[in-house]
Amino acid sequence: MASEPAEGTTLEVLRRLESGPRGLTDAQAVSRLDAFGENTLPDRRTPSWPRRCARALRDPFTAVLLCLGLVSAAVASWGTAVVILALVVVSCVLRASGEHRADRSLAALRELVAGTVTVLRRTDPAGQPDPREVPVAELVPGDVLRFGPGDLVPADVRLLRARGLMVQQGALTGESAPVAKRAADGDAPDESRLCFQGSTIAAGSATAVVTATGAATRFAAAHRVPDAPRPGGAFDRSVHGISWVLIRFMLLTPPLVLMANATLRDRGLETLPFAVAVAVGLTPEMLPVIVTTCLARGAAHLARAHAVIVKRLPALHDLGAVDVLCVDKTGTLTQDRPVVERALDPAGRDEPEVLHWAAAGAWWTLQLAELPAPDALDEALLEAAGPVGEEYDGVDAVPFDPVRRTSTAVVRSGLGRHTVVLTGAAEAVLERCATAPGERERLLALAAREADAGLRVLAVATADRPAGPRTADARGLAFRGLVTFRDALAPTAADALRALADRGVTVTVLTGDHPATAARACRDLGLDPGEVRTAAQVADGPGGPGGPTVVARCTPEDKARVVTALRAAGHTVGFLGDGVNDVAALRAADVGIAPRSAVGVARESADVVLADKDLTAIGQAITAGRHASGNIASYLRVTLSSNLGNVVAMLAAGLLLPFLPMLPAQVLAQNLCFDAAQLAFAHDRPGAAALRGPAVLRPRAFLRFALGFGILNALADLATFAVLALALNGPDAVNDEAVFHSAWFTENLLTQAAVMLLLRTGRRDAAGRPPGPVGLAAAGLAAVGLLLPPSPLGAALGMTALPAAYYLLPAAVLGLYALALVAARTRHRRRQP
């Protein structure tokens, strides 16, 4: 519907729009504004606080905790219920507040497409059109606009007149170079006559009629894409995997405990609170708080130190897990401007005189054609040649025309003599040159060879002619040579790419440019681009990581298809994009990344917003993500292995002992102490090994780790039972329930403190350096284990002071356990790839 008014001849378009070359009257504009509405993009509502909190409840671990709290309340275990439900509330509030802060920061970055635009309006039908500046929001179909270099296109328009018009529409199509537009009529649909909202006028001038505004524009159509459901990221997949395994264990544990005690010990429903406490002990209750705190701290550091905004907290973990980063070439690996590479004579040898004449032509074209600013090639020529052109007197100039594909400057070279300087595409320039038979083909082959090397080519020809009115149209020129250009490299790209490679991240370049141009940029950055393919040659996405892969001639659909194929192959994919054409790929990736200068729809579709389109900032964000993920992984390894070992030991002791191995209140107190100590993991600093590769939470790997080290923990607990039963006061020692409960409470907290220190992925503190947060927390946990049983609080929990002899042999058991833990950890690390 939006494109229909733009089809057909100019006269047909104007008739359908009920407009004309003189524009609309004020009355017509007001009437159409009421009918079509303002020319604005649809607003996206930010979720309310209740909605944010409700959305946080969908987190699997938060849902597990909520279920456990409700079960505890159902069996009147009020202490357990209060603690667990409090953790649920804290987790929801932390997550909602983090998202709220990110939304507030992003709102400050929103930019308007354009402020005002020049419109032809009339006060009455017979009046003359009056050019005036009106707000973009007041544009309506049928308005006639005027554009000049640097103007933003505020709506979809059909060209009525155009002179040397070049439009930068990379935000819509991915093209890095400006596109020539013309106002020629034709019955067949031709997008060269159309300009779309979000484009920028790079050169030339034009008059155009508005064909679509507001929600009817192509820009707005792409803006609606973010409403589609987004696929889950690496973090969501990992958490769901671990959560469902824990849920199964949690649901199986209470029935097993009840059935075993009823069968072997004639204890039935009175063991239900103990069974619920065991199930609670198996679940990592603090995980939502640890996860939210780690991610929120990392996001706050990125915002404060690097102006990087993380809109969705789990995206920070996904950043740490990224092993493939898809980027565009222009603005990321290269700047959006060319630089001179070489100046060649007709034989292909370096010749500075060719550059001199090309720069002189650019200088006088700029001066005499009254262009507001040089185009990108003119700037590159003048920068490379330095002060040039002023030694001549300029006579005439014809600016670059996309149809002729040449520009001409005429300078006075002597009395009654003029020199013509012609620059442009090699084919167009050679058509006006006098060449020997076969020479034209050889020179075209030379230009093609340079283009195949990824360079842009500008041909240069001159002629000395008698002064005359048609000097600029002279033919029979002498071919001077070629000036080649390459894309200017982004200053930080080479270092950033090396840093990403050191972190195990493969860069895949998805660009709309020519394959040779993209490959050249990679080689200039010191990287082998590997096999360069076009989007048409890629059936299921690029091959596996092994160096930067270039996929050229990409459409927006191609980019999204490649990203989806990489994810299907098992990779965690980040995508950096800034245009409307990147929205589909941004949403298809595990992590969508956009710079602050991106169009609004791209920013809103992204998970992470950068201050600038800079790979260095992405590297810093990946490091922050791996820091947070390393701390989360440390917590999971420690809590799952320790909890599993304790649960196995409790189940075994419950069947072997004539009484419960630990009272439900004591189990809860132990869990609370251990959970409080593990909050230190949110403030830990992982070692260098945790930052060298993608930080992926693999459920099976965690569960294998927890099973192996959990069994080791259970063996230490059972060895403590043996000490209590045999080594202290003989077989009857276990009949003293208070002593047994106190002893095992102390031993459990001491082993958990050892596990915190030995299984973390933090840095090894140097001698003489104060201990880190995990070391201090482990020391505090050990102190609680030793001091709580003889205290009044310990007595209230059913514990008592231990005999002095107890601390000797269990200490030996603890020492042997620590040695076994170190040996198992070393073996585990050696087996890691």
Side-chain angles (χ1 to χ4, degrees), residues 227-492:
D227 293 333
R230 186 190 184 101
F235 182 77
D236 297 324
R237 296 193 299 269
S238 301
V239 167
H240 275 80
I242 296 174
S243 296
W244 281 111
V245 172
L246 291 176
I247 289 172
R248 294 187 186 102
F249 274 111
M250 180 200 72
L251 294 177
L252 287 175
T253 298
L256 288 176
V257 173
L258 290 174
M259 288 188 296
N261 277 274
T263 303
L264 300 177
R265 293 291 180 184
D266 288 331
R267 295 194 294 259
L269 290 178
E270 64 269 19
T271 62
L272 182 58
F274 173 73
V276 172
V278 171
V280 172
L282 182 63
T283 305
E285 301 99 330
M286 295 300 293
L287 184 61
V289 176
I290 294 288
V291 166
T292 304
T293 304
C294 288
L295 297 180
R297 280 174 54 84
H301 169 73
L302 285 174
R304 182 175 58 254
H306 305 294
V308 175
I309 298 173
V310 179
K311 296 170 53 183
R312 183 176 62 88
L313 285 182
L316 185 60
H317 163 77
D318 292 346
L319 269 173
V322 163
D323 62 338
V324 176
L325 177 65
C326 297
V327 301
D328 195 0
K329 175 184 70 67
T330 305
T332 306
L333 304 182
T334 63
Q335 301 179 54
D336 196 9
R337 64 181 184 88
V339 294
V340 172
E341 176 73 5
R342 297 176 67 191
L344 306 175
D345 65 10
R349 298 184 298 264
D350 289 331
E351 177 52 70
E353 189 70 13
V354 177
L355 176 62
H356 171 85
W357 281 114
W363 169 262
W364 282 109
T365 300
L366 176 65
Q367 300 301 314
L368 297 178
E370 298 182 355
L371 297 176
D375 66 14
L377 294 184
D378 289 341
E379 288 182 331
L381 289 170
L382 296 174
E383 181 180 351
V388 68
E390 296 183 40
E391 65 270 30
Y392 304 105
D393 291 329
V395 177
D396 192 12
V398 179
F400 180 83
D401 186 308
V403 177
R404 293 195 310 270
R405 297 188 299 162
T406 59
S407 64
T408 308
V410 181
V411 297
R412 185 174 290 106
S413 55
L415 185 62
R417 306 292 296 179
H418 289 169
T419 298
V420 180
V421 182
L422 181 71
T423 58
E427 299 90 338
V429 170
L430 283 169
E431 286 179 358
R432 297 176 60 181
C433 292
T435 56
E439 180 70 3
R440 183 174 184 275
E441 289 71 19
R442 187 188 69 79
L443 293 173
L444 287 175
L446 173 64
R449 186 166 60 249
E450 295 298 319
D452 290 341
L455 299 172
R456 296 173 66 178
V457 178
L458 183 73
V460 183
T462 63
D464 188 40
R465 292 283 188 271
R470 299 184 59 82
T471 303
D473 294 329
R475 294 182 175 270
L477 285 73
F479 186 80
R480 288 280 187 168
L482 304 173
V483 179
T484 60
F485 302 82
R486 60 173 173 81
D487 289 329
L489 302 179
T492 60

Side-chain angles (χ1 to χ4, degrees), residues 16-29:
R16 275 198 296 268
L17 293 170
E18 297 181 3
S19 182
R22 297 190 301 160
L24 302 175
T25 65
D26 292 335
Q28 287 176 315

